Amino acid sequence: MKEITPRQPAGTLAANLDQLIESFLLAQDVGITSKMVYRRALKRFKEFLSLREAAGGVGYLTKTDIVQYKSHLLAEGLSPRTGNLYLTSVRQFFKYLESNRIYPDVSAGLKGFKRSYGFNRDPLTLQQARDLLNSIDTSDMIGLRDFAMINLMLRTGLRTMEVVGSNVGDIRQTSNATLLYVRSKGKDAKDDFVVLTREAYEPIARYLAARHCTDPRAALFVSHRNYNEDGRITTKTLRCAVKRQLLAIGVFSSRISAHSLRHTFATMALQNGATIEQVRDTLRHQNITTTQIYVHTTDRLEHAAEDTIKI
């Protein structure tokens, strides 16, 4: 690959971008999921450069261009968290280019989006959680699967990526508990687990029995569509299944999604007497400060100063 000197125009960078991205990804000592995020983010950056070039903006890339890209992401309505994922990928990419004397790091010093203290998803109420489960028709394979998945997320707080990445063999029986081992965010091995209560495990067992599936290497949840029969379910399919059932019970808020099931678990666990340490361990938060947000929100609602005003 011909080296691109700092004085070559952005158009030359764009022309070699696919090759440079692949080289960058090969050089990153990160997990598969992180590489997927990098690839998706840099694809978006490439699309931005293509639009810029089509508009006649060919020239040398500068920090101003990266700031404009940040504004472009903001204009698309991305959440601060998602926007920061895209910006981090671009910053890492240009650090790689500069360290290999390919292109200067024009992203140096770029600030990320400011995040609010809290979550951008709301939990379900107890009644909404019950209505959600009761709304699922379990008379066919898709219904059995969707009930098992949604019920699992509500009772364990698993992320969508952890659910779809699970295999049949990840369920293990011990002398006093049934465990599901998962690959937590940022990890390469399935060395974390959640406890499957009887209420969490039995719908999974019924679903696997209906599939006649005992192969430990098989995906725990699969597609039952003709075009992808028995293929591992995707996070998109899982999110759509949750959203479909939410709409069915009249929940239309954009702040309630599949990830809300994780928030629902944490909120209900704390309300029912679980300690912050127990919830942190189950959710596998690296920093207990993240878990404390749930405590703050729960306490704020239960001991609202507004309730003391008697006019």
Short mmCIF file of all heavy atoms in Angstrom, two decimals, residues 23-66:
data_model
loop_
_atom_site.label_atom_id
_atom_site.label_comp_id
_atom_site.label_asym_id
_atom_site.label_seq_id
_atom_site.Cartn_x
_atom_site.Cartn_y
_atom_site.Cartn_z
N SER A 23 -6.69 -2.42 7.60
CA SER A 23 -5.38 -2.46 8.26
C SER A 23 -5.50 -2.04 9.72
O SER A 23 -4.89 -2.63 10.61
CB SER A 23 -4.39 -1.55 7.53
OG SER A 23 -4.19 -1.97 6.21
N PHE A 24 -6.29 -1.01 9.95
CA PHE A 24 -6.53 -0.53 11.31
C PHE A 24 -7.18 -1.61 12.16
O PHE A 24 -6.75 -1.87 13.29
CB PHE A 24 -7.42 0.72 11.26
CG PHE A 24 -8.06 1.09 12.56
CD1 PHE A 24 -7.30 1.64 13.59
CD2 PHE A 24 -9.41 0.89 12.77
CE1 PHE A 24 -7.88 1.98 14.81
CE2 PHE A 24 -10.01 1.23 13.97
CZ PHE A 24 -9.24 1.78 14.99
N LEU A 25 -8.21 -2.27 11.63
CA LEU A 25 -8.92 -3.31 12.39
C LEU A 25 -8.02 -4.48 12.73
O LEU A 25 -8.07 -5.04 13.82
CB LEU A 25 -10.15 -3.79 11.61
CG LEU A 25 -11.27 -2.75 11.43
CD1 LEU A 25 -12.35 -3.30 10.52
CD2 LEU A 25 -11.86 -2.37 12.78
N LEU A 26 -7.17 -4.86 11.79
CA LEU A 26 -6.23 -5.96 12.03
C LEU A 26 -5.25 -5.63 13.14
O LEU A 26 -4.79 -6.52 13.87
CB LEU A 26 -5.47 -6.31 10.75
CG LEU A 26 -6.25 -7.04 9.66
CD1 LEU A 26 -5.41 -7.15 8.39
CD2 LEU A 26 -6.66 -8.44 10.14
N ALA A 27 -4.95 -4.36 13.30
CA ALA A 27 -3.95 -3.94 14.30
C ALA A 27 -4.54 -3.73 15.69
O ALA A 27 -3.79 -3.52 16.65
CB ALA A 27 -3.29 -2.64 13.84
N GLN A 28 -5.88 -3.83 15.81
CA GLN A 28 -6.52 -3.57 17.10
C GLN A 28 -6.64 -4.83 17.93
O GLN A 28 -7.23 -5.82 17.49
CB GLN A 28 -7.91 -2.95 16.90
CG GLN A 28 -7.92 -1.66 16.10
CD GLN A 28 -6.91 -0.65 16.62
OE1 GLN A 28 -7.00 -0.22 17.77
NE2 GLN A 28 -5.96 -0.29 15.78
N ASP A 29 -6.07 -4.80 19.12
CA ASP A 29 -6.13 -5.94 20.03
C ASP A 29 -7.37 -5.82 20.91
O ASP A 29 -7.30 -5.56 22.12
CB ASP A 29 -4.86 -5.99 20.89
CG ASP A 29 -4.79 -7.23 21.77
OD1 ASP A 29 -5.53 -8.20 21.47
OD2 ASP A 29 -4.02 -7.24 22.74
N VAL A 30 -8.54 -5.98 20.29
CA VAL A 30 -9.82 -5.85 20.98
C VAL A 30 -10.71 -7.02 20.57
O VAL A 30 -10.39 -7.79 19.66
CB VAL A 30 -10.52 -4.51 20.64
CG1 VAL A 30 -9.69 -3.33 21.14
CG2 VAL A 30 -10.76 -4.38 19.13
N GLY A 31 -11.84 -7.16 21.25
CA GLY A 31 -12.76 -8.25 20.97
C GLY A 31 -13.51 -8.06 19.66
O GLY A 31 -13.48 -6.99 19.04
N ILE A 32 -14.23 -9.11 19.27
CA ILE A 32 -14.98 -9.09 18.01
C ILE A 32 -16.04 -7.99 18.02
O ILE A 32 -16.22 -7.27 17.04
CB ILE A 32 -15.65 -10.46 17.77
CG1 ILE A 32 -14.58 -11.54 17.57
CG2 ILE A 32 -16.59 -10.41 16.58
CD1 ILE A 32 -15.14 -12.95 17.45
N THR A 33 -16.73 -7.85 19.16
CA THR A 33 -17.79 -6.84 19.24
C THR A 33 -17.22 -5.43 19.06
O THR A 33 -17.80 -4.60 18.35
CB THR A 33 -18.51 -6.94 20.60
OG1 THR A 33 -19.05 -8.25 20.75
CG2 THR A 33 -19.63 -5.91 20.69
N SER A 34 -16.08 -5.16 19.68
CA SER A 34 -15.47 -3.83 19.55
C SER A 34 -15.06 -3.57 18.10
O SER A 34 -15.21 -2.45 17.59
CB SER A 34 -14.24 -3.73 20.46
OG SER A 34 -14.62 -3.79 21.81
N LYS A 35 -14.55 -4.61 17.43
CA LYS A 35 -14.17 -4.43 16.02
C LYS A 35 -15.39 -4.15 15.15
O LYS A 35 -15.33 -3.37 14.19
CB LYS A 35 -13.43 -5.67 15.51
CG LYS A 35 -12.01 -5.79 16.07
CD LYS A 35 -11.19 -6.81 15.30
CE LYS A 35 -9.76 -6.85 15.85
NZ LYS A 35 -8.88 -7.74 15.07
N MET A 36 -16.51 -4.78 15.49
CA MET A 36 -17.74 -4.52 14.75
C MET A 36 -18.18 -3.07 14.93
O MET A 36 -18.65 -2.42 13.98
CB MET A 36 -18.84 -5.48 15.22
CG MET A 36 -18.64 -6.92 14.80
SD MET A 36 -19.87 -8.03 15.53
CE MET A 36 -21.38 -7.36 14.85
N VAL A 37 -18.03 -2.54 16.15
CA VAL A 37 -18.37 -1.14 16.42
C VAL A 37 -17.47 -0.22 15.63
O VAL A 37 -17.92 0.75 15.00
CB VAL A 37 -18.27 -0.83 17.93
CG1 VAL A 37 -18.42 0.67 18.17
CG2 VAL A 37 -19.32 -1.60 18.71
N TYR A 38 -16.14 -0.52 15.64
CA TYR A 38 -15.20 0.29 14.86
C TYR A 38 -15.58 0.29 13.38
O TYR A 38 -15.59 1.34 12.74
CB TYR A 38 -13.79 -0.27 15.02
CG TYR A 38 -13.07 0.11 16.29
CD1 TYR A 38 -12.17 -0.78 16.89
CD2 TYR A 38 -13.26 1.34 16.89
CE1 TYR A 38 -11.50 -0.45 18.06
CE2 TYR A 38 -12.59 1.68 18.06
CZ TYR A 38 -11.71 0.78 18.64
OH TYR A 38 -11.05 1.12 19.78
N ARG A 39 -15.88 -0.88 12.86
CA ARG A 39 -16.19 -1.00 11.43
C ARG A 39 -17.44 -0.19 11.08
O ARG A 39 -17.47 0.54 10.08
CB ARG A 39 -16.39 -2.47 11.05
CG ARG A 39 -16.58 -2.69 9.54
CD ARG A 39 -16.85 -4.16 9.23
NE ARG A 39 -15.74 -5.00 9.61
CZ ARG A 39 -14.64 -5.17 8.87
NH1 ARG A 39 -14.52 -4.53 7.73
NH2 ARG A 39 -13.68 -5.98 9.28
N ARG A 40 -18.47 -0.32 11.90
CA ARG A 40 -19.71 0.41 11.64
C ARG A 40 -19.50 1.92 11.73
O ARG A 40 -20.01 2.69 10.91
CB ARG A 40 -20.78 -0.04 12.64
CG ARG A 40 -22.15 0.58 12.40
CD ARG A 40 -23.23 -0.11 13.22
NE ARG A 40 -23.03 0.05 14.65
CZ ARG A 40 -22.70 -0.93 15.48
NH1 ARG A 40 -22.51 -2.16 15.01
NH2 ARG A 40 -22.56 -0.70 16.78
N ALA A 41 -18.73 2.33 12.74
CA ALA A 41 -18.49 3.77 12.93
C ALA A 41 -17.67 4.36 11.79
O ALA A 41 -17.95 5.46 11.30
CB ALA A 41 -17.78 4.00 14.26
N LEU A 42 -16.65 3.63 11.35
CA LEU A 42 -15.80 4.15 10.28
C LEU A 42 -16.49 4.12 8.93
O LEU A 42 -16.19 4.92 8.04
CB LEU A 42 -14.48 3.37 10.25
CG LEU A 42 -13.60 3.60 11.48
CD1 LEU A 42 -12.38 2.69 11.46
CD2 LEU A 42 -13.16 5.07 11.56
N LYS A 43 -17.44 3.21 8.78
CA LYS A 43 -18.26 3.21 7.57
C LYS A 43 -19.07 4.50 7.51
O LYS A 43 -19.21 5.12 6.45
CB LYS A 43 -19.20 2.00 7.55
CG LYS A 43 -20.13 1.97 6.34
CD LYS A 43 -21.08 0.78 6.41
CE LYS A 43 -22.04 0.79 5.21
NZ LYS A 43 -23.01 -0.33 5.29
N ARG A 44 -19.57 4.92 8.65
CA ARG A 44 -20.35 6.16 8.71
C ARG A 44 -19.45 7.36 8.41
O ARG A 44 -19.87 8.31 7.73
CB ARG A 44 -20.98 6.30 10.10
CG ARG A 44 -22.16 7.25 10.14
CD ARG A 44 -22.73 7.34 11.54
NE ARG A 44 -24.04 7.98 11.53
CZ ARG A 44 -25.17 7.37 11.78
NH1 ARG A 44 -25.17 6.07 12.07
NH2 ARG A 44 -26.31 8.03 11.76
N PHE A 45 -18.23 7.32 8.91
CA PHE A 45 -17.29 8.41 8.63
C PHE A 45 -16.95 8.46 7.15
O PHE A 45 -16.84 9.54 6.56
CB PHE A 45 -16.02 8.22 9.47
CG PHE A 45 -14.99 9.30 9.28
CD1 PHE A 45 -15.27 10.62 9.62
CD2 PHE A 45 -13.74 9.00 8.76
CE1 PHE A 45 -14.32 11.62 9.44
CE2 PHE A 45 -12.79 10.00 8.58
CZ PHE A 45 -13.08 11.31 8.92
N LYS A 46 -16.81 7.30 6.53
CA LYS A 46 -16.52 7.25 5.10
C LYS A 46 -17.67 7.87 4.31
O LYS A 46 -17.44 8.59 3.33
CB LYS A 46 -16.30 5.80 4.66
CG LYS A 46 -16.01 5.67 3.18
CD LYS A 46 -15.93 4.21 2.75
CE LYS A 46 -15.73 4.12 1.23
NZ LYS A 46 -15.71 2.72 0.76
N GLU A 47 -18.90 7.59 4.72
CA GLU A 47 -20.06 8.16 4.05
C GLU A 47 -20.05 9.68 4.16
O GLU A 47 -20.41 10.39 3.21
CB GLU A 47 -21.35 7.59 4.66
CG GLU A 47 -21.56 6.11 4.35
CD GLU A 47 -22.69 5.50 5.16
OE1 GLU A 47 -23.19 6.19 6.09
OE2 GLU A 47 -23.06 4.34 4.89
N PHE A 48 -19.62 10.20 5.32
CA PHE A 48 -19.52 11.64 5.51
C PHE A 48 -18.48 12.23 4.56
O PHE A 48 -18.72 13.27 3.94
CB PHE A 48 -19.15 11.94 6.96
CG PHE A 48 -18.74 13.37 7.21
CD1 PHE A 48 -19.69 14.38 7.28
CD2 PHE A 48 -17.40 13.71 7.37
CE1 PHE A 48 -19.31 15.70 7.50
CE2 PHE A 48 -17.01 15.02 7.60
CZ PHE A 48 -17.97 16.02 7.66
N LEU A 49 -17.33 11.58 4.43
CA LEU A 49 -16.29 12.06 3.52
C LEU A 49 -16.78 12.04 2.08
O LEU A 49 -16.46 12.93 1.29
CB LEU A 49 -15.03 11.21 3.66
CG LEU A 49 -14.23 11.35 4.96
CD1 LEU A 49 -12.97 10.49 4.90
CD2 LEU A 49 -13.87 12.80 5.24
N SER A 50 -17.58 11.02 1.74
CA SER A 50 -18.10 10.92 0.37
C SER A 50 -19.04 12.08 0.08
O SER A 50 -19.02 12.66 -1.01
CB SER A 50 -18.82 9.58 0.17
OG SER A 50 -17.92 8.50 0.33
N LEU A 51 -19.89 12.41 1.05
CA LEU A 51 -20.80 13.54 0.88
C LEU A 51 -20.02 14.84 0.76
O LEU A 51 -20.35 15.71 -0.05
CB LEU A 51 -21.74 13.63 2.09
CG LEU A 51 -22.80 12.53 2.21
CD1 LEU A 51 -23.54 12.65 3.54
CD2 LEU A 51 -23.79 12.60 1.05
N ARG A 52 -18.96 14.96 1.55
CA ARG A 52 -18.13 16.16 1.53
C ARG A 52 -17.45 16.31 0.16
O ARG A 52 -17.39 17.40 -0.40
CB ARG A 52 -17.08 16.04 2.64
CG ARG A 52 -16.14 17.23 2.78
CD ARG A 52 -15.18 16.95 3.94
NE ARG A 52 -14.25 18.04 4.13
CZ ARG A 52 -13.13 18.19 3.44
NH1 ARG A 52 -12.83 17.33 2.49
NH2 ARG A 52 -12.32 19.21 3.68
N GLU A 53 -16.96 15.19 -0.36
CA GLU A 53 -16.28 15.23 -1.65
C GLU A 53 -17.27 15.54 -2.78
O GLU A 53 -16.97 16.30 -3.69
CB GLU A 53 -15.60 13.89 -1.92
CG GLU A 53 -14.72 13.88 -3.16
CD GLU A 53 -13.91 12.60 -3.29
OE1 GLU A 53 -14.10 11.71 -2.45
OE2 GLU A 53 -13.11 12.51 -4.24
N ALA A 54 -18.49 14.97 -2.68
CA ALA A 54 -19.50 15.21 -3.70
C ALA A 54 -19.93 16.68 -3.72
O ALA A 54 -20.33 17.21 -4.76
CB ALA A 54 -20.72 14.32 -3.45
N ALA A 55 -19.82 17.32 -2.55
CA ALA A 55 -20.20 18.74 -2.46
C ALA A 55 -19.06 19.67 -2.84
O ALA A 55 -19.16 20.88 -2.69
CB ALA A 55 -20.67 19.06 -1.03
N GLY A 56 -17.96 19.08 -3.32
CA GLY A 56 -16.84 19.90 -3.76
C GLY A 56 -15.87 20.25 -2.67
O GLY A 56 -15.06 21.17 -2.83
N GLY A 57 -15.94 19.53 -1.54
CA GLY A 57 -15.08 19.85 -0.41
C GLY A 57 -13.78 19.08 -0.40
O GLY A 57 -13.34 18.63 0.66
N VAL A 58 -13.19 18.85 -1.55
CA VAL A 58 -11.93 18.11 -1.62
C VAL A 58 -10.78 19.00 -1.19
O VAL A 58 -10.66 20.15 -1.62
CB VAL A 58 -11.68 17.58 -3.04
CG1 VAL A 58 -10.35 16.85 -3.10
CG2 VAL A 58 -12.82 16.68 -3.49
N GLY A 59 -9.96 18.50 -0.34
CA GLY A 59 -8.82 19.26 0.15
C GLY A 59 -8.14 18.49 1.25
O GLY A 59 -8.33 17.29 1.38
N TYR A 60 -7.35 19.18 2.04
CA TYR A 60 -6.67 18.51 3.14
C TYR A 60 -7.61 18.44 4.34
O TYR A 60 -8.21 19.43 4.72
CB TYR A 60 -5.40 19.28 3.50
CG TYR A 60 -4.48 19.50 2.33
CD1 TYR A 60 -4.22 20.79 1.87
CD2 TYR A 60 -3.90 18.42 1.68
CE1 TYR A 60 -3.38 21.01 0.77
CE2 TYR A 60 -3.07 18.62 0.59
CZ TYR A 60 -2.81 19.91 0.14
OH TYR A 60 -1.99 20.11 -0.93
N LEU A 61 -7.70 17.28 4.92
CA LEU A 61 -8.51 17.14 6.13
C LEU A 61 -7.85 17.87 7.28
O LEU A 61 -6.64 17.73 7.50
CB LEU A 61 -8.69 15.66 6.50
CG LEU A 61 -9.83 14.89 5.84
CD1 LEU A 61 -9.87 13.48 6.38
CD2 LEU A 61 -11.16 15.57 6.06
N THR A 62 -8.64 18.63 8.03
CA THR A 62 -8.14 19.34 9.20
C THR A 62 -9.06 19.02 10.38
O THR A 62 -10.09 18.34 10.22
CB THR A 62 -8.12 20.85 8.97
OG1 THR A 62 -9.48 21.31 8.83
CG2 THR A 62 -7.33 21.21 7.71
N LYS A 63 -8.70 19.56 11.55
CA LYS A 63 -9.55 19.35 12.71
C LYS A 63 -10.93 19.95 12.49
O LYS A 63 -11.94 19.43 13.00
CB LYS A 63 -8.91 19.96 13.96
CG LYS A 63 -9.69 19.66 15.23
CD LYS A 63 -8.99 20.16 16.47
CE LYS A 63 -9.80 19.85 17.72
NZ LYS A 63 -9.13 20.30 18.95
N THR A 64 -11.00 21.01 11.71
CA THR A 64 -12.30 21.63 11.40
C THR A 64 -13.24 20.62 10.75
O THR A 64 -14.44 20.59 11.03
CB THR A 64 -12.11 22.85 10.48
OG1 THR A 64 -11.29 23.81 11.15
CG2 THR A 64 -13.45 23.48 10.12
N ASP A 65 -12.69 19.79 9.87
CA ASP A 65 -13.51 18.78 9.20
C ASP A 65 -14.04 17.75 10.21
O ASP A 65 -15.18 17.30 10.09
CB ASP A 65 -12.68 18.07 8.13
CG ASP A 65 -12.22 19.01 7.03
OD1 ASP A 65 -13.08 19.65 6.41
OD2 ASP A 65 -11.00 19.13 6.82
N ILE A 66 -13.22 17.39 11.19
CA ILE A 66 -13.66 16.43 12.19
C ILE A 66 -14.72 17.05 13.09
O ILE A 66 -15.68 16.38 13.48
CB ILE A 66 -12.46 15.93 13.03
CG1 ILE A 66 -11.33 15.43 12.11
CG2 ILE A 66 -12.89 14.82 13.96
CD1 ILE A 66 -11.75 14.31 11.17
#
